[in-house]
Amino acid sequence: MQVIADNGYRGTGFAVPQRCRPAPPDSGRRRLSCNQRAVNSAHARQRGPGERANAQLKSWRILRKIRCCPLRATSLVKAVLVLILTG
């Protein structure tokens, strides 16, 4: 399974976005190529839904204060997701 991660996981073997390499002094700033920008865009599209879901779940107070069995937490998360999806 391939893991899509952000730049904080650079060097761990996960798929992370391309980045600009530092330019030598007095030579101006380097830019990403068109292909590298396309790869970063596709990477962001894949990570976006997961990031939004995590942000939405973090806003529910019941999940921030949870101190119960992990099996019970799973059912709480499923219930919260149903509430989110129904509007």
Side-chain angles (χ1 to χ4, degrees):
M1 177 188 314
Q2 184 178 7
V3 176
I4 308 278
D6 61 4
N7 280 324
Y9 293 95
R10 188 165 300 286
T12 59
F14 297 149
V16 295
Q18 299 286 321
R19 66 176 180 174
C20 286
R21 299 283 179 210
D26 302 329
S27 67
R29 183 166 182 212
R30 292 188 182 172
R31 304 266 182 215
L32 291 176
S33 71
C34 203
N35 288 338
Q36 288 173 322
R37 284 194 303 259
V39 167
N40 282 355
S41 179
H43 186 88
R45 276 194 304 275
Q46 289 179 333
R47 281 187 54 236
E51 295 288 335
R52 283 189 291 280
N54 284 335
Q56 189 68 248
L57 288 173
K58 285 179 182 180
S59 70
W60 285 75
R61 185 176 181 152
I62 190 170
L63 297 178
R64 280 187 269 144
K65 302 223 174 222
I66 197 164
R67 301 286 185 265
C68 64
C69 169
L71 295 176
R72 173 106 179 169
T74 302
S75 61
L76 283 172
V77 169
K78 286 180 182 179
V80 168
L81 286 175
V82 167
L83 292 172
I84 289 170
L85 293 175
T86 58

